Amino acid sequence: MAEFDLDGIGMTSQRTRDRLVKRLRERGIASEQVLGVIGSVPRHIFIDEALAHRAYEDTALPIGHNQTISQPFIVALMTQALFNRPRAVVLEIGTGSGYQTAVLAALAEKVYTVERIAPLIERAAARFRALKLRNVRMRNADGNVGWADQGPFDSIIVTAAARHVPGALYDQLAIGGRLVIPVGDEGLQELLIIDRDDAGFSEQSLEHVRFVPLLRGTRN
Ligand code: SAH
C-alpha cells in the first residue's frame, strides 16, 4: 500500500481537503478508509495549474483531450463500492489524470491502469513519480480488452461509460472479485456493481452517473 510523499505539495491544501471530506461525508460516503485517502491525496497536482484553485470543489474538471478528472463524490462512491472488502490487485480502465489511480494505490497492493491517450499516461506518470507511488503499472492501450497477462484481478474499475460490459473484463475478474462500471449511452449511465462467485456473476445498480464514453483504439 502506498503512502503519499507530501513534502512541499500537500500541506497548504490540507484545510481545503478536510472541507471536501466533510462534504463527501454529508453526501453519504461512510467508509472512513476512503474518506481518509481522499483527505490525503493532493488532487490539485492532477489538474492543470489554471484550474488548480478549484481542485477541492466536488466537481469534475477538464484535463484536456476532451476528458475530465472525475468528481470526488463519484471517485469516493466507486472506491467505497470496490473496497467493500480488501482487494489486493486492481485493474483500472481510464487512467485520465491519474487521481482515481492514486486513490486506489493507497488501498490496494498493486494497481494496473490502462489509458488509450498517450499524453495523459505521461502526465499521470510524472504525478505518480512526484508522489513516490511505486505500486502502479501503466499501459497505453485500449482497455476494452483488459490486461490479460496480469489477471485475474480482485477488482476492476472502469472510469468511462461502456455501452455494454466488455467480455474480457468478466473473464479477467477473479472468483470473489468485483467490477464497478458505468453502463449506458452518452447521456446517462447506471453505475453497475458486478460480483463474481463460484456460481457465476451477479449484478446490482448503484446510482445514475455521467461519464465520458469508453472509446475504441489508442491515440498518440
Ligand atoms: N479516473 C479518471 C477519469 C478520466 S475520464 C480521472 O479521474 O482522471 C476517462 C478516461 O478514460 C479518459 O482519460 C479516456 O481517455 C479513457 N478511456 C476512454 N476509453 C478508453 C479505452 N477504451 N481504454 C482506455 N482508456 C479509455
Side-chain angles (χ1 to χ4, degrees):
M1 268 147 261
E3 295 217 347
F4 297 98
D5 181 23
L6 293 177
D7 292 349
I9 46 177
M11 300 321 271
T12 51
S13 50
Q14 191 55 53
R15 226 174 319 151
T16 46
R17 268 199 301 283
D18 291 345
R19 271 202 295 275
L20 173 62
V21 166
K22 180 166 176 281
R23 191 180 149 76
L24 297 180
R25 206 187 288 277
E26 285 162 3
R27 284 204 64 185
I29 302 299
S31 163
E32 290 303 327
Q33 199 186 24
V34 171
L35 291 169
V37 174
I38 301 262
S40 72
V41 178
R43 189 168 183 259
H44 62 278
I45 72 160
F46 292 87
I47 295 170
D48 291 343
E49 229 166 300
L51 284 172
H53 64 287
R54 300 188 57 194
Y56 300 102
E57 293 176 17
D58 187 20
T59 176
L61 292 166
I63 56 171
H65 306 273
N66 280 325
Q67 305 303 324
T68 54
I69 179 171
S70 304
Q71 180 191 357
F73 173 71
I74 296 295
V75 172
L77 189 72
M78 291 176 88
T79 307
Q80 176 173 271
L82 213 57
F83 287 88
N84 65 324
R85 64 165 84 152
R87 309 280 182 185
V89 185
V90 178
L91 173 66
E92 177 189 41
I93 309 299
T95 316
S97 67
Y99 175 68
Q100 170 80 72
T101 321
V103 169
L104 297 170
L107 296 168
E109 277 166 31
K110 186 102 195 182
V111 180
Y112 294 86
T113 185
V114 182
E115 168 58 54
R116 65 182 285 276
I117 301 178
L120 290 179
I121 286 268
E122 281 157 35
R123 256 182 275 164
R127 291 162 180 150
F128 300 153
R129 277 196 298 276
L131 291 174
K132 300 193 170 65
L133 279 186
R134 296 187 213 287
N135 59 340
V136 176
R137 277 191 58 193
M138 317 179 79
R139 178 186 246 184
N140 179 216
D142 181 346
N144 280 290
V145 298
W147 194 331
D149 49 346
Q150 299 297 340
F153 300 97
D154 301 312
S155 62
I156 301 177
I157 177 172
V158 182
T159 70
R163 298 250 168 191
H164 309 280
V165 181
L169 302 187
Y170 282 113
D171 296 341
Q172 292 170 27
L173 192 62
I175 308 275
R178 173 169 273 202
L179 163 63
V180 178
I181 179 169
V183 176
D185 53 28
E186 297 240 341
L188 198 65
Q189 306 107 30
E190 272 188 276
L191 192 56
L192 296 186
I193 297 179
I194 297 168
D195 287 306
R196 181 174 200 175
D197 64 18
D198 296 320
F201 298 92
S202 60
E203 189 180 296
Q204 50 182 307
S205 171
L206 188 61
E207 172 123 352
H208 287 283
V209 290
R210 239 191 125 124
F211 276 86
V212 295
L214 185 71
L215 301 173
R216 300 213 159 260
T218 57
R219 234 188 66 187
N220 292 321

